[in-house]
């Protein structure tokens, strides 16, 4: 079967189509990556030498600097099983299909059709209304009968069988489709950076919750030690009272100190269980799933000797939220071209080829073919200002996206500076509190020894004990807060997503994953 081409056979037609294709342009501004104005170094580095920050390349696996295998395992499992992160991965898959849809506009649209119909055309009524049968009666004879039979055969219902192909192609002369593809690509990048941002937040949240767990366990152990000391003090005071060396008031004060320390334990027990539940949910498990693994207290992870913070100029290229804001700016810039292209005429090429006959067996005969082809143009003449307003709206959205990008960069710099300050000052507080604990421990030992020998009053020993307990709790809390400050600093620096760019989704159903997904994805 020969196919009729949709384009003119003449050299002039081919030359016309080639000229139109070569003259195609892309309207609207071309996107240029912004160059944010950033300082040469972080302002807080000049005064942060005590906390050992360094303007070197940041570590993408920053949580490993805590040297805690259990923390590393929890973060790996969270990346593999966290449901919110996998929602972000699904959004990337959706944006990728939107990009494929936009690219599809580059190609011709071809549709196939097939139909079989039974038709009554109403020809007999037309013939009667025009007096054809009356004229046959005047002819008379056998010819009259033969003609009437032939006409009656033509006026009966007939079957119409048809198969055809339709093709249409809108020529992208002004780059509208190219700008739409560009905008869809920027949307895909935005979804990717949203996943990276969720990844950084997840890693920081797991580390923060884990450190809070170990911190609550540390403070709980400190309280238990102070409770044991208070219990010994109470027993000593009761012994002194029985021997007539101490009044009953001293016994009651010692008992009140013991109960006061015991009353502080429940809040830390609550923090411990809440942290374990939070970690379980972060890795995609029900609350309580990690109790057996995490209930045994462990020491707080040691802080790294050096912290790499990099340079402000690299922050904009590393933080996912800044990269996401840049993708939004790219999308808004491309949408200007889309809106401008709508002001210009649309050119389309269309064609149709098929076979049609009242007998299905005759469709393969070339004489049953039909075709049509041509070009069309649609020119916007009057739209009530809608198209012009669309261009102005797109430009306003681009300006807003540019300001949003600049604001995101400033916020990123502020986050890092604030985290550096908090990390430095809390380290200084830990050092001061450690010295305070050492001094109060010596004071309590002297006061308690003097009271046992009857050389000082019970109030001195009780006061020293109360001050020591408070200082130890403050020192433990400050040490936990310093670790949390370091996590906040790493999160502000935006690292941690580079190692996990090929996250695979488990086989999900309505009721959950078909597989456990405990194995972390390959970096």
């Amino acid at each position: 079967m020969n196919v009729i081409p949709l384009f003119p056979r003449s050299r002039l037609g081919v030359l016309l189509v080639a000229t139109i294709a070569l003259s195609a342009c892309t309207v609207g501004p071309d996107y240029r990556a912004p160059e944010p104005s950033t300082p040469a170094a972080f302002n807080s580095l000049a005064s942060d030498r005590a906390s050992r920050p360094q303007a070197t390349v940041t570590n993408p696996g920053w949580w490993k600097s805590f040297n805690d295998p259990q923390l590393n395992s929890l973060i790996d499992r969270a990346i593999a099983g966290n449901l919110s992160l996998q929602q972000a991965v699904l959004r990337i898959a959706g944006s990728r299909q939107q990009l494929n849809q936009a690219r599809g506009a580059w190609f011709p649209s071809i549709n196939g059709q097939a139909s079989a119909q039974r038709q009554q055309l109403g020809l007999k009524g037309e013939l009667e209304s025009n007096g054809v049968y009356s004229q046959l009666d005047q002819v008379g004879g056998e010819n009259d009968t033969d003609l009437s039979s032939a006409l009656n055969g033509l006026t009966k219902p007939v079957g119409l069988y048809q198969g055809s192909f339709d093709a249409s192609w809108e020529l992208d002369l002004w780059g509208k489709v190219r700008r739409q593809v560009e905008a869809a690509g920027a949307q895909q990048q935005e979804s990717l950076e949203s996943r990276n941002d969720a990844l950084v937040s997840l890693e920081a949240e797991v580390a923060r919750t884990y450190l809070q767990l170990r911190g609550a366990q540390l403070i709980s152990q400190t309280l238990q030690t102070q409770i044991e000391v208070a219990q010994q003090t109470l027993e000593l005071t009761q012994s002194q009272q029985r021997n007539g060396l101490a009044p009953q008031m001293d016994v009651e004060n010692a008992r009140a100190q013991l109960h006061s320390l015991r009353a502080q334990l429940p809040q830390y027990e609550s923090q411990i269980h809440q942290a374990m539940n939070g970690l379980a949910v972060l890795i995609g498990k029900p609350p309580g799933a990690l109790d057996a693994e995490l209930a045994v207290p462990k020491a707080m992870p040691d802080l790294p000797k050096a912290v790499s913070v990099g340079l402000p100029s690299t922050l904009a290229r590393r933080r996912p939220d800044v990269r996401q804001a840049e993708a939004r700016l790219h999308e808004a810039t491309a949408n200007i071209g889309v809106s401008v292209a709508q002001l210009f005429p649309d050119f389309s090429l269309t064609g149709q080829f098929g076979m049609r006959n009242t007998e299905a067996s005759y469709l393969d005969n070339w004489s049953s073919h039909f075709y049509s082809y041509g070009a069309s143009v649609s020119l916007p003449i009057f739209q009530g200002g809608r198209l012009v307003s669309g261009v102005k709206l797109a430009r306003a959205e681009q300006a807003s996206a540019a300001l949003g990008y600049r604001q995101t960069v400033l916020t990123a710099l502020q986050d890092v500076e604030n985290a550096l300050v908090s990390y430095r000052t809390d380290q200084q507080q830990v050092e001061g509190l450690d010295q305070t604990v050492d001094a109060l421990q010596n004071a309590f030992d002297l006061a308690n020894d003097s009271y046992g020998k009857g050389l000082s009053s019970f109030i001195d020993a009780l006061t020293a004990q109360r001050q020591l307990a408070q200082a130890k709790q403050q020192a433990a809390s400050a040490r936990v807060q310093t670790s949390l400050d370091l996590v906040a600093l790493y999160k502000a620096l935006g690292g941690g997503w580079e190692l996990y760019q090929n996250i695979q989704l488990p086989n999900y159903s309505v009721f959950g994953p078909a597989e456990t997904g405990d194995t972390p994805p390959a970096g």
Side-chain angles (χ1 to χ4, degrees):
M1 179 182 296
N2 296 325
V3 179
I4 302 297
L6 300 181
F7 302 102
R9 295 176 182 269
S10 65
R11 294 181 179 179
L12 179 61
V14 175
L15 180 61
L16 178 61
V17 173
T19 303
I20 292 176
L22 291 175
S23 62
C25 63
T26 304
V27 297
D30 293 329
Y31 174 73
R32 294 182 180 179
E35 297 180 359
S37 177
T38 57
F42 289 109
N43 182 58
S44 299
L45 282 182
S47 55
D48 261 2
R49 298 305 176 188
S51 56
R52 298 176 297 277
Q54 299 177 352
T56 55
V57 179
T58 59
N59 181 12
W62 53 264
W63 56 91
K64 298 178 182 178
S65 62
F66 287 100
N67 295 318
D68 191 318
Q70 194 164 40
L71 174 60
N72 299 340
S73 174
L74 287 171
I75 289 183
D76 287 340
R77 281 181 281 173
I79 294 172
N82 184 263
L83 302 183
S84 298
L85 179 61
Q86 292 175 6
Q87 285 180 323
V89 176
L90 285 174
R91 285 193 288 271
I92 296 176
S95 63
R96 184 177 296 117
Q97 298 310 315
Q98 290 177 345
L99 176 59
N100 292 336
Q101 286 181 341
R103 287 173 175 167
W106 268 331
F107 303 97
S109 174
I110 302 176
N111 299 309
Q113 297 179 355
S115 64
Q117 298 178 345
R118 188 68 174 171
Q119 295 182 351
Q120 172 57 268
L121 302 178
L123 293 177
K124 187 173 184 178
E126 292 289 334
L127 295 174
E128 289 180 350
S129 64
N130 288 279
V132 174
Y133 284 97
S134 299
Q135 295 176 9
L136 291 178
D137 292 339
Q138 296 176 3
V139 174
E142 295 181 357
N143 291 334
D144 179 16
T145 303
D146 293 340
L147 290 174
S148 296
S149 299
L151 290 176
N152 288 334
L154 291 175
T155 58
K156 292 181 180 179
V158 296
L160 182 62
Y161 304 92
Q162 176 176 319
S164 63
F165 292 95
D166 299 326
S168 63
W169 185 22
E170 182 179 347
L171 302 178
D172 189 28
L173 299 182
W174 319 115
K176 180 175 70 175
V177 174
R178 276 165 282 178
R179 292 304 191 194
Q180 288 174 337
V181 172
E182 184 181 355
Q187 287 180 342
Q188 181 184 5
Q189 185 65 31
E190 183 180 349
S191 299
L192 178 62
E193 300 305 337
S194 176
R195 189 281 310 269
N196 291 339
D197 193 36
L199 187 58
V200 172
S201 298
L202 174 63
E203 293 163 349
E205 185 64 17
V206 172
R208 188 185 67 85
T209 307
Y210 180 77
L211 292 172
Q212 286 180 332
L213 168 65
R214 296 309 182 199
Q217 291 174 338
L218 172 63
I219 297 175
S220 180
Q221 287 180 320
T222 302
L223 275 174
Q224 289 287 2
T225 302
Q226 295 302 309
I227 289 173
E228 293 175 1
V229 174
Q231 180 67 40
Q232 294 173 1
T233 302
L234 175 61
E235 293 173 357
L236 175 62
T237 307
Q238 289 175 334
S239 175
Q240 296 275 32
Q241 191 269 339
R242 285 193 296 269
N243 294 324
L245 300 177
Q248 183 64 29
M249 183 178 63
D250 290 351
V251 174
E252 298 303 327
N253 285 333
R255 183 177 289 111
Q257 174 69 4
L258 175 62
H259 291 309
S260 174
L261 293 172
R262 286 176 176 173
Q264 298 178 41
L265 275 178
Q267 61 174 322
Y268 295 106
E269 292 294 331
S270 175
Q271 292 178 13
I272 290 171
H273 288 285
Q274 289 175 357
M276 291 190 295
N277 291 338
L279 288 170
V281 173
L282 286 173
I283 69 172
K285 300 291 184 181
L290 299 178
D291 287 1
E293 176 183 350
L294 300 175
V296 178
K298 289 186 178 180
M300 285 284 298
D302 295 329
L303 298 180
K305 296 181 179 180
V307 180
S308 300
V309 299
L311 298 174
S313 58
T314 63
L315 185 65
R317 305 308 312 160
R318 185 173 60 249
R319 276 200 34 153
D321 58 339
V322 178
R323 294 162 61 94
Q324 186 178 8
E326 182 181 349
R328 283 194 289 265
L329 176 58
H330 189 176
E331 178 188 356
T333 304
N335 284 333
I336 295 178
V338 175
S339 62
V340 172
Q342 293 176 347
L343 300 173
F344 295 86
D346 291 333
F347 292 89
S348 300
L349 300 177
T350 59
Q352 185 182 36
F353 175 82
M355 310 293 284
R356 182 189 300 124
N357 203 289
T358 58
E359 297 293 336
S361 61
Y362 210 72
L363 286 177
D364 59 350
N365 192 294
W366 180 247
S367 60
S368 299
H369 81 279
F370 67 93
Y371 68 87
S372 65
Y373 62 88
S376 63
V377 59
S378 175
L379 176 65
I381 297 177
F382 179 74
Q383 299 290 335
R386 179 175 59 87
L387 299 181
V388 176
S389 296
V391 175
K392 294 180 179 179
L393 175 61
R395 293 189 181 278
E397 290 177 344
Q398 186 213 30
S400 177
L403 293 176
Y405 173 80
R406 292 174 57 188
Q407 181 61 48
T408 305
V409 173
L410 291 177
T411 301
L413 293 172
Q414 180 187 21
D415 291 343
V416 176
E417 296 286 0
N418 290 345
L420 285 171
V421 171
S422 297
Y423 186 53
R424 182 188 75 245
T425 54
D426 283 342
Q427 278 188 314
Q428 294 173 350
Q429 184 182 21
V430 169
E431 294 177 359
L433 287 173
D434 286 343
Q435 295 173 357
T436 302
V437 168
D438 291 340
L440 289 176
Q441 182 67 54
N442 292 332
F444 171 71
D445 292 340
L446 292 173
N448 196 48
D449 183 66
S450 297
Y451 173 67
K453 296 178 180 179
L455 301 178
S456 64
S457 67
F458 175 73
I459 296 300
D460 295 335
L462 190 63
T463 301
Q465 184 187 51
R466 184 181 298 111
Q467 291 176 345
L468 177 60
Q470 292 175 351
K472 284 190 173 182
Q473 292 181 50
Q474 291 175 356
S477 298
R479 186 166 282 103
V480 174
Q481 185 58 48
T482 303
S483 299
L484 299 180
D485 291 337
L486 182 57
V487 172
L489 175 58
Y490 281 129
K491 180 182 179 182
L493 293 171
W497 54 269
E498 301 91 335
L499 301 177
Y500 300 94
Q501 290 302 290
N502 298 316
I503 298 178
Q504 301 295 327
L505 287 173
N507 182 21
Y508 267 85
S509 66
V510 177
F511 303 101
E515 300 177 359
T516 59
D518 285 340
T519 303

